[in-house]
Amino acid sequence: MNKCLLVFILALLLPVYADYNPLSDAPINSVEEFNQDEIEIDRMEFEYPSSNSPQPVESKPNKNYPQIYNDLQLADFSYLHNIDPDQYYDMKDAAWSPYPLLRLNSAIYFKGITIEPGYYLLTPREHNGKWYLLFKQNGVVAHTCI
């Protein structure tokens, strides 16, 4: 009986509070009050003077990706015991790694390197003026790519 009475009261009050904005200071009087207020949306029209019409965006030049791949060289260095010496400084002020975690579902091939499927923490590092990408697993450098 109490549940039915509660459902009946809620069913009566629901139309009154359906359009209620809790951030508004306006009091709720009736449902008819909400129906009278129609929201009018102004359509913005952009008018450009003939001298200042928008110019099309310049397209980016096409890049020769096969040539870029052929020009890249393999990393000519490695870390002692495959431990990144700068990892401590990256993590000391953070609760988690500031670098993205990559999940590979299939192998990636880069020249003579095969990066097996798995989870890798991608970490950029500069070495002798060149930037390299470290693929780390469990805090250990698994692969280094330029």
Side-chain angles (χ1 to χ4, degrees):
M1 178 67 183
N2 290 339
K3 289 181 182 179
C4 292
L5 182 61
L6 180 63
V7 170
F8 180 73
I9 292 173
L10 287 176
L12 289 177
L13 293 177
L14 187 60
V16 173
Y17 291 104
D19 292 329
Y20 174 63
N21 182 0
L23 301 177
S24 164
D25 292 335
I28 299 175
N29 296 328
S30 67
V31 176
E32 289 78 20
E33 179 182 326
F34 290 111
N35 293 337
Q36 289 174 359
D37 295 335
E38 295 292 329
I39 299 174
E40 295 181 14
I41 299 174
D42 294 332
R43 301 283 181 205
M44 296 182 68
E45 294 183 12
F46 296 101
E47 295 181 10
Y48 297 102
S50 60
S51 62
N52 295 333
S53 62
Q55 301 297 322
V57 178
E58 294 180 18
S59 62
K60 294 182 180 178
N62 292 334
K63 294 184 179 180
N64 188 357
Y65 289 108
Q67 184 64 36
I68 292 172
Y69 178 81
N70 291 332
D71 291 344
L72 290 176
Q73 298 176 3
L74 295 174
D76 57 353
F77 69 95
S78 63
Y79 292 106
L80 184 63
H81 302 293
N82 290 331
I83 296 175
D84 180 13
D86 295 325
Q87 182 172 342
Y88 169 75
Y89 300 106
D90 289 342
M91 308 292 187
K92 71 176 186 172
D93 296 327
W96 55 82
S97 173
Y99 302 117
L101 182 67
L102 173 69
R103 177 184 176 201
L104 291 179
N105 291 329
S106 61
I108 293 180
Y109 303 97
F110 175 72
K111 299 196 176 188
I113 300 173
T114 301
I115 301 174
E116 297 295 329
Y119 290 91
Y120 295 94
L121 186 65
L122 303 179
T123 308
R125 285 284 177 260
E126 185 177 8
H127 180 77
N128 293 337
K130 293 183 180 178
W131 282 96
Y132 293 87
L133 185 63
L134 306 180
F135 287 75
K136 296 198 274 186
Q137 282 186 323
N138 299 326
V140 176
V141 177
H143 304 285
T144 305
C145 295
I146 195 166

